Amino acid sequence: MSDTQDKYKDTVFLPKTDFPMRGNLPEKEPEMVAKWQEMDLYGKIRQASAGKPKWILHDGPPYANGNIHMGHALNKILKDVINKSWQMMGYNAPYVPGWDCHGLPIEWKIEEKYRNAGKDKDDVDPLDFRAECREFAQEWVDIQSEQFQRLGVIGDWRIQEDASGEQVGGPYRTMTKHGEAQIAREIHKFLDNGGLYRGVKSVLWSTVEQTALAEAEVEYQEHKSVTIWARFPVVETKIDVLKGADVVIWTTTPWTIPSNRGIFYNDDIAYAVYEVTEVAEGSKVEVGAKISIAEALADKVQEQAKITSMTKLGEFKGVDVEGTICAHPLRGHKDANGGYDYDVPAHMADYVTDEDGTGFVHVAPSHGPDDFLLGQKYGLEITDNLDDDGSFKEHVPLFAGLKIYDENGKMDAGNFAPIKAMEEAGKLLAKGSLRHEYPHSWRSKAPLIFRTTPQWFIAMGENQYLKKILDNITLGNLQEVKNLFEIIDEALKNVVLGKENAFYNFLRYLEKLSPEAMAILEANLNLKKGLKIYLSEPTLRDVALKAIEETEWHPEKGKNRIRAMIEGRPDWCISRQRAWGVPIALFVDKKTGETLKDEAVLKRITDAYEEHGSDAWWSMDAQEFLGNDYSADEYEQIFDIVDVWFESGSTHSFVVNDREDLGNGEIDQVDLYLEGSDQHRGWFHSSLLESCGTKGKAPYKNVLTHGFVLDEKGYKMSKSLGNVVDPLKLMKQSGADILRLWTMTSDYAEDIRIGQSTMKNTGDLYRRIRNTLRFLLGALDGFNAAEKVDLSDLSKLPELEQLVLHQLYEMDQKLRGYIQNYEFGKLAKELHEFCNNNLSAFYFDIRKDRLYCDDPQSFERKACRSVMAEVYNCLTAWLAPILSFTAEEAWAHRPEGVFDDSDSVHLRDFPNVPKTWQNPALAGKWFGIRSIREEVFYSLELDRKEKIISSSLEANVTINLKKEELALGEEIDWAEVCIVSAANTGLMEGDTYYTGERVETEKAEGEKCVRCWKVLPEVAGHVDHICNRCDDVVNKKQAA
RNA sequence: GGGCUUGUAGCUCAGCUGGUUAGAGCGCACCGUUGAUAACGGUGAGGUCGCAAGUUCAAGUCUUGCCAGGCCCA
């Protein structure tokens, strides 16, 4: 028997293919990347889709330092899958990747290099320094480019230059000449439309290095500060007990006393006034002094001030302090020339507590972020008392020239002199010291101070003219105020009304004004008119909020997030005192403080950037920009650089608009921005503001966000936890396609986890899909155009083939729907289920008999293979966006002359699946058949347990149909569907049944056909132990 | 501390406006096959739906609090 078995084994048409079962992806993928580069796949795709409608995903630029991590991988894979999907749906979907090249982290790296070489950055020519930064950034651009391509991302990666050295096409970078020029132009647009203004902001400042520091350059170290308790005599108050008393404040920065302009209290704190009745030796307080402090802190203050006894005169609530005005402790000082005779008003501040100090906080708006912000709210003066090196300026009474820190960062006279002056004036209650965490420069290790410095802002909300009025009123510059009123009157000519929110904002704005300011305002401005001008111009905030509503956010919750941020954010500070970036490129009139707005000058600047890059700002002479109309001596050249977020926020302008292959000046909103959810604060945000400010609308129609990659347990990845997953390693171990499949089967809208079990899971999914492709290729061995049957007349096909075509149609529809609705998460799962359910477990399983054993010339077998070819045709295309390497490999193994001749699967579109294939009635019918089949399997399983049968072909079954199913008995070959040797149908009694009645199984009678393995009575009649069908196929055909 | 947000089987995910014994795929166990063979088919075991109160005739689904995560701010 084994002889005959061997004899017939060769007559079985088993699947045959070179497409290996195991992917060996780590080795094959890089070869494929090289091939794609060599054949210029991206260029070919562009050529092939030249006439198609554009669909544009605009790439958000990663920062060009360091190897890529899982977050990059997730992001770029998603972009690639989505882009390829739209491309294959019939669009022209170019992908131009980009990099963010300027900014602090790179600057540090180069600085660090200098430090290690014992050099100081300040001794290096800025142009040399920038050249090194540029080189560093480019190195990482090149590395990351390789790594992204290794992921299978197809895009415009090649940096090509034309004869003049100008880049043609290729990825974008914020540091190219054109990029820098356009960024400067965008800044100038804000200058032109009035959005840009010069204001002040509290920054951390090093008096040793004489420069502002970014938060990330700051180290917090222990520092010993001198602390003082100072007395501010009450001048005016509605609290009786407070009259004639001194409010006591506590501070760790005595040098800020000359810059004091206010006192903060908290509504919720309980305060009291105490009369000193007895003091210990060394106390600085006189008996009879009346001091006011928070009740909760009375004991501490008493001890510190060496007061042995004091009596409480009365209590009051913080909320009643409003309206109280104090005198500066140095008021009336004989040598101060009245310099400290101004009033010090008390105001409410949430951040004041009664845990430390006195419950009252002294406010120097120029020297603390809270002081500054609240000081602005209450209209407190921004003083300008300190020079860059931390010495008091000439105009500061008593302390001019004294430095607060010496060149080594040690406390100096500027810190001590104010203490001494107050002590002499009898206004020092006590003195002490405190060790606490304090910001230091990570370079010089010197302690830092807060300093309010001039910065450039883009206005979000309040009309900038009104803002200027306010600034000028508090500074007392009345002439300036009057000029502004004229501007407003001019603008009043174009007034449009009708915004309630803006109205309320305006009222709030007025509330901030001091009575004096209000008086000036009323005297000079018709309030109604002011209201009109304010309401007439929608603010940047208004425009941005409207744009948010007009954008589709996926998932939708992203909208809430960005809306809340835009609603609440302050004006955008776009200036940085740094070297590696795009200079803001402005000139300010030294006399008037006005920013020069001459178009010719601005154009000369941006032209120079275009030709030489923004290095021109340093390399060229200011007069070259200013031309003949202005003198460089009269203008301050602004060397601040622009916030990198402004740069990346401008990419829609210098990438999308300017490129022929993208917007080409015609598309001002791209289809999609796609980044991590942190970019609500970052790129989505800055791009929105930048675009709303210059174009009045968002740069995008859709925004899709993804979550963060966490470790297996859902914790953030960190070096210290040792749970970091490296995509580069992972690709070496498993391959990029595994990573891609993992991405697409996860719910990337949320944070997603990665670890051993998720990777194993993904590997299993991958193998199933790969094997489906492999089986298809095996089954299509030798298939050619001649064998292909005409699929236009579906009725001629067996129902099962019709069903599969219907399923292809359904799958195609779902796929396109998911893509259009940005539901890519469902796509991979659906494809996997399709392979698993419809193909492997059903169609393939049933059709194996036909494929292996039927006559190759039979119509049925040809029909089956023709349908298989359609399945293959669809599946390779459908999988291409996700399993880009595997689909390409499978496509390369296709039978010749049957499919289109695209050199790469990525040059294809999704096949056009005709609607005529749709057949819901048939699908419904077969849904019923499948459930009956499941019952048969259940019964067979029982027999198998009892050892009656092993293979299902050893069984015959009888299926009892319900009355309404009776037709199925005639139409369906149940033996084929259930993969048994023979099947009968009968009528089921009654309306209900249990499994025993529904299906009856028995051991098949007869002998096993050595060729097709069915057990049939007829086999006994053949010498070779084969069935009639097999006999026909093998012997009769051969004979004929 | 604030804004937004997540928590359903070992893993990845479904569960619409509250309504019968909470679903799928993978994995796992077992069986079959050895002609998709480091593959394929079948059967089955896995969940007090993060925890605790509450609203309701009825809650995974609504409310509140708590716990554990995440992003962005302070």
Side-chain angles (χ1 to χ4, degrees):
Chain A
M1 170 133 164
S2 75
D3 286 347
T4 49
Q5 202 164 4
D6 289 346
K7 174 178 167 190
Y8 285 100
K9 191 175 172 81
D10 296 337
T11 69
V12 179
F13 312 107
L14 294 179
K16 201 177 132 201
T17 176
D18 296 334
F19 186 79
M21 181 176 288
R22 314 213 69 192
N24 195 12
L25 300 176
E27 208 173 295
K28 263 185 217 158
E29 286 173 345
E31 292 168 13
M32 225 173 274
V33 170
K35 193 191 112 191
W36 289 337
Q37 285 171 344
E38 203 178 312
M39 71 186 279
D40 187 22
L41 177 57
Y42 180 79
K44 284 216 165 65
I45 295 174
R46 294 284 68 76
Q47 267 172 23
S49 43
K52 296 176 181 173
K54 273 191 183 154
W55 185 89
I56 297 175
L57 180 163
H58 178 40
D59 187 44
Y63 195 65
N65 71 337
N67 290 312
I68 66 166
H69 54 65
M70 276 311 303
H72 290 114
L74 168 67
N75 178 261
K76 280 290 199 276
I77 287 172
L78 261 174
K79 282 173 177 164
D80 189 52
V81 170
I82 291 175
N83 210 59
K84 281 173 179 159
S85 298
W86 282 88
Q87 174 70 35
M88 293 181 81
M89 277 218 299
Y91 290 85
N92 179 3
Y95 179 62
V96 175
W99 276 276
D100 191 6
C101 301
H102 291 129
L104 212 49
I106 290 176
E107 206 170 323
W108 286 345
K109 289 277 183 195
I110 306 303
E111 266 194 71
E112 197 177 23
K113 205 177 110 185
Y114 284 159
R115 263 206 307 283
N116 292 343
K119 278 197 282 183
D120 188 334
K121 174 198 169 189
D122 296 335
D123 301 336
V124 179
D125 185 287
L127 292 174
D128 294 339
F129 182 79
R130 284 165 58 89
E132 288 202 56
C133 290
R134 191 172 297 113
E135 196 183 320
F136 180 91
Q138 187 56 48
E139 275 171 29
W140 282 109
V141 166
D142 294 338
I143 292 169
Q144 290 191 353
S145 174
E146 288 273 314
Q147 295 171 341
F148 288 143
Q149 291 181 72
R150 174 65 188 82
L151 285 168
V153 179
I154 293 175
D156 203 355
W157 298 106
R158 282 177 153 178
I159 298 183
Q160 295 165 297
E161 289 175 353
D162 65 14
S164 69
E166 209 39 33
Q167 183 180 329
V168 192
Y172 75 85
R173 289 158 294 157
T174 54
M175 63 178 181
T176 56
K177 291 169 187 168
H178 175 64
E180 293 185 336
Q182 188 58 29
I183 288 163
R185 283 188 201 104
E186 295 293 301
I187 299 168
H188 292 163
K189 283 184 194 169
F190 280 95
L191 176 66
D192 181 55
N193 70 21
L196 184 72
Y197 70 94
R198 194 179 204 184
V200 287
K201 192 185 178 214
S202 190
V203 297
L204 279 163
W205 185 274
S206 167
T207 57
V208 173
E209 288 128 311
Q210 302 188 25
T211 179
L213 294 184
E215 187 61 43
E217 291 176 295
V218 174
E219 291 181 353
Y220 286 81
Q221 288 176 6
E222 193 170 84
H223 177 73
K224 187 177 167 189
S225 295
V226 179
T227 60
I228 55 165
W229 285 256
R231 296 160 61 175
F232 283 66
V234 174
V235 178
E236 194 182 315
T237 183
K238 58 188 180 205
I239 302 167
D240 285 340
V241 70
L242 199 51
K243 286 173 181 159
D246 291 349
V247 164
V248 180
I249 64 91
W250 176 75
T251 181
T252 58
T253 49
W255 60 269
T256 57
I257 290 291
S259 304
N260 172 281
R261 288 300 183 275
I263 291 171
F264 286 164
Y265 61 88
N266 192 323
D267 280 352
D268 300 331
I269 295 179
Y271 295 95
V273 177
Y274 300 90
E275 180 170 347
V276 177
T277 51
E278 194 188 321
V279 296
E281 205 188 318
S283 170
K284 301 181 193 307
V285 201
E286 73 281 8
V287 170
K290 289 195 275 181
I291 56 169
S292 178
I293 46 182
E295 283 195 276
L297 290 159
D299 290 348
K300 278 192 198 168
V301 175
Q302 184 177 358
E303 186 188 341
Q304 192 67 39
K306 295 179 183 163
I307 297 168
T308 42
S309 170
M310 61 187 197
T311 324
K312 190 195 281 182
L313 298 178
E315 309 164 351
F316 58 93
K317 275 287 188 195
V319 70
D320 295 324
V321 179
E322 183 59 42
T324 298
I325 292 171
C326 295
H328 191 278
L330 299 176
R331 175 176 286 200
H333 194 288
K334 58 181 171 32
D335 300 326
N337 268 335
Y340 295 107
D341 291 359
Y342 52 81
D343 285 344
V344 178
H347 291 290
M348 156 69 194
D350 274 332
Y351 76 90
V352 178
T353 69
D354 56 6
E355 280 159 25
D356 275 317
T358 65
F360 290 107
V361 173
H362 120 87
V363 184
S366 292
H367 300 295
D370 289 323
D371 303 46
F372 170 68
L373 285 172
L374 287 167
Q376 282 226 311
K377 179 179 164 191
Y378 293 120
L380 303 182
E381 185 195 352
I382 311 292
T383 57
D384 181 21
N385 288 345
L386 227 51
D387 258 325
D388 289 356
D389 65 351
S391 60
F392 285 109
K393 287 193 169 174
E394 278 306 308
H395 65 258
V396 180
L398 307 176
F399 311 116
L402 300 181
K403 288 184 78 170
I404 61 172
Y405 291 114
D406 66 17
E407 49 283 348
N408 298 315
K410 294 268 176 289
M411 267 186 274
D412 206 351
N415 248 300
F416 304 118
I419 304 177
K420 201 171 169 218
M422 284 193 291
E423 187 164 5
E424 284 165 6
K427 293 296 181 282
L428 188 72
L429 187 81
K431 206 168 89 171
S433 67
L434 177 74
R435 288 193 170 276
H436 59 152
E437 291 291 300
Y438 192 82
H440 289 71
S441 164
W442 81 327
R443 269 196 279 176
S444 67
K445 311 296 178 192
L448 303 174
I449 62 168
F450 280 103
R451 186 170 181 228
T452 302
T453 55
Q455 300 288 348
W456 295 86
F457 295 85
I458 288 174
M460 281 303 301
E462 296 78 15
N463 184 292
Q464 52 135 352
Y465 292 124
L466 285 174
K467 201 174 181 77
K468 268 200 168 176
I469 289 171
L470 183 68
D471 290 347
N472 281 294
I473 288 171
T474 49
L475 293 172
N477 184 349
L478 294 183
Q479 183 53 48
E480 181 66 12
V481 176
K482 280 173 189 153
N483 292 343
L484 284 160
F485 289 149
E486 278 165 30
I487 297 171
I488 288 179
D489 280 334
E490 186 63 26
L492 273 175
K493 286 167 192 162
N494 311 302
V495 171
V496 190
L497 267 172
K499 301 208 80 184
E500 274 183 44
N501 275 350
F503 175 71
Y504 290 118
N505 280 343
F506 180 71
L507 291 185
R508 245 176 273 140
Y509 207 83
L510 290 181
E511 282 170 14
K512 293 178 191 169
L513 297 181
S514 61
E516 294 81 6
M518 273 305 283
I520 299 172
L521 195 67
E522 280 168 9
N524 286 276
L525 177 74
N526 178 329
L527 264 185
K528 268 190 186 164
K529 279 188 181 176
L531 212 62
K532 278 188 178 176
I533 169 68
Y534 186 71
L535 298 178
S536 67
E537 277 178 30
T539 63
L540 180 54
R541 202 187 307 276
D542 295 332
V543 175
L545 287 172
K546 183 158 171 273
I548 288 171
E549 292 307 316
E550 288 164 354
T551 302
E552 283 196 46
W553 301 86
H554 311 269
E556 200 160 345
K557 66 192 178 193
K559 188 197 264 190
N560 295 336
R561 192 164 171 179
I562 194 163
R563 195 202 290 120
M565 287 172 185
I566 295 290
E567 276 170 351
R569 69 155 298 148
D571 287 355
W572 183 3
C573 177
I574 62 159
S575 54
R576 300 292 126 98
Q577 290 68 50
R578 288 277 139 199
W580 180 225
V582 178
I584 285 178
L586 298 171
F587 287 100
V588 174
D589 188 321
K590 284 180 181 166
K591 275 194 206 125
T592 66
E594 281 298 306
T595 309
L596 185 62
K597 274 197 195 183
D598 189 311
E599 265 180 52
V601 174
L602 297 179
K603 186 166 183 306
R604 277 196 285 272
I605 297 171
T606 50
D607 284 352
Y609 278 24
E610 198 76 61
E611 199 183 336
H612 310 289
S614 65
D615 280 356
W617 196 241
W618 283 272
S619 64
M620 286 169 62
D621 195 77
Q623 197 61 56
E624 292 183 65
F625 301 119
L626 289 167
N628 296 327
D629 296 336
Y630 309 94
S631 160
D633 294 340
E634 291 167 17
Y635 284 87
E636 176 192 2
Q637 187 178 4
I638 303 299
F639 282 98
D640 289 357
I641 61 166
V642 71
D643 177 15
V644 286
W645 286 111
F646 186 92
E647 296 188 17
S648 56
S650 305
T651 56
H652 64 89
S653 153
F654 72 86
V655 180
V656 179
N657 269 339
D658 290 1
R659 284 178 66 130
E660 209 178 315
D661 53 344
L662 296 179
N664 201 17
E666 289 160 11
I667 296 174
D668 53 9
Q669 280 190 322
V670 298
D671 293 279
L672 186 67
Y673 272 37
L674 193 183
E675 306 298 330
S677 59
D678 56 332
Q679 297 304 326
H680 286 105
R681 190 72 195 183
W683 195 51
F684 302 147
H685 192 115
S686 60
S687 297
L688 179 73
L689 292 181
E690 212 285 328
S691 178
C692 284
T694 54
K695 297 195 294 203
K697 58 170 147 178
Y700 37 67
K701 293 180 195 157
N702 294 279
V703 174
L704 201 151
T705 50
H706 57 78
F708 276 70
V709 184
L710 308 175
D711 79 355
E712 199 152 20
K713 290 174 187 152
Y715 290 97
K716 182 190 172 118
M717 289 182 190
S718 72
K719 275 183 195 156
S720 57
L721 282 175
N723 59 353
V724 179
V725 178
D726 177 6
L728 300 170
K729 255 190 212 162
L730 236 143
M731 283 192 286
K732 266 186 203 154
Q733 283 160 10
S734 318
D737 266 0
I738 302 291
L739 213 48
R740 298 175 69 97
L741 188 60
W742 162 79
T743 302
M744 300 316 292
T745 51
S746 305
D747 181 10
Y748 54 77
E750 301 297 336
D751 292 341
I752 58 181
R753 301 175 179 199
I754 193 165
Q756 287 207 311
S757 62
T758 41
M759 287 327 287
K760 184 179 179 300
N761 197 12
T762 311
D764 290 334
L765 295 184
Y766 174 81
R767 280 212 305 281
R768 165 65 61 131
I769 295 171
R770 186 176 177 91
N771 269 304
T772 303
L773 290 170
R774 181 164 185 265
F775 183 79
L776 278 167
L777 283 168
L780 288 171
D781 178 40
F783 187 71
N784 57 39
E787 185 179 337
K788 206 169 172 180
V789 306
D790 180 10
L791 294 179
S792 62
D793 189 357
L794 294 171
S795 64
K796 285 189 180 149
L797 300 176
E799 281 195 12
L800 197 50
E801 270 63 34
Q802 293 182 42
L803 177 70
V804 171
L805 293 181
H806 165 80
Q807 287 169 338
L808 285 178
Y809 177 80
E810 296 271 279
M811 186 62 230
D812 180 61
Q813 289 297 301
K814 277 187 196 168
L815 181 100
R816 289 170 193 269
Y818 290 151
I819 293 169
Q820 244 136 8
N821 296 319
Y822 298 95
E823 295 176 306
F824 290 86
K826 294 183 181 170
L827 207 147
K829 272 179 225 150
E830 195 77 41
L831 282 170
H832 174 255
E833 300 237 331
F834 180 77
C835 290
N836 205 31
N837 255 327
N838 295 339
L839 299 180
S840 257
F842 194 65
Y843 184 60
F844 291 172
D845 210 25
I846 292 170
R847 278 292 177 252
K848 276 186 222 167
D849 176 70
R850 176 156 291 165
L851 285 166
Y852 297 173
C853 301
D854 268 8
D855 179 2
Q857 297 310 316
S858 76
F859 174 77
E860 284 77 14
R861 189 171 185 277
K862 285 181 180 171
C864 172
R865 295 234 288 177
S866 300
V867 167
M868 289 260 186
E870 294 300 331
V871 172
Y872 168 84
N873 195 40
C874 287
L875 213 51
T876 43
W878 292 343
L879 289 170
I882 300 170
L883 298 176
S884 291
F885 293 101
T886 304
E888 181 77 325
E889 189 189 350
W891 184 246
H893 282 80
R894 69 191 180 279
E896 268 177 58
V898 186
F899 304 98
D900 74 69
D901 57 359
S902 303
D903 290 338
S904 163
V905 74
H906 302 296
L907 280 161
R908 300 175 59 201
D909 284 353
F910 292 136
N912 179 27
V913 181
K915 194 167 167 44
T916 49
W917 289 3
Q918 189 187 22
N919 192 342
L922 187 77
K925 177 179 169 184
W926 278 81
F927 183 80
I929 292 169
R930 253 192 108 159
S931 69
I932 292 172
R933 181 178 188 255
E934 275 166 27
E935 292 182 57
V936 172
F937 281 177
Y938 179 80
S939 298
L940 290 174
E941 192 62 23
L942 294 179
D943 284 1
R944 212 172 264 140
K945 281 249 157 66
E946 310 248 330
K947 305 283 180 196
I948 298 170
I949 59 163
S950 44
S951 160
S952 63
L953 285 173
E954 289 171 25
N956 288 348
V957 297
T958 303
I959 299 162
N960 294 319
L961 299 168
K962 298 182 205 174
K963 265 181 223 153
E964 65 271 23
E965 296 168 348
L966 223 50
L968 297 179
E970 299 293 314
E971 295 168 12
I972 303 302
D973 181 347
W974 287 99
E976 178 184 70
V977 169
C978 298
I979 318 179
V980 292
S981 284
N984 293 310
T985 54
L987 178 63
M988 194 167 68
E989 304 282 336
D991 287 337
T992 57
Y993 62 90
Y994 56 91
T995 48
E997 278 182 335
R998 177 65 150 177
V999 180
E1000 295 161 32
T1001 60
E1002 59 184 353
K1003 201 166 168 66
E1005 278 182 36
E1007 204 178 311
K1008 179 179 172 185
C1009 168
V1010 295
R1011 183 163 177 273
C1012 73
W1013 295 347
K1014 282 187 187 170
V1015 178
L1016 298 167
E1018 69 202 38
V1019 175
H1022 289 270
V1023 274
D1024 280 350
H1025 308 282
I1026 57 172
C1027 67
N1028 294 341
R1029 185 259 314 250
C1030 290
D1031 192 26
D1032 277 355
V1033 172
V1034 181
N1035 299 320
K1036 303 215 168 128
K1037 286 279 167 187
Q1038 279 178 353

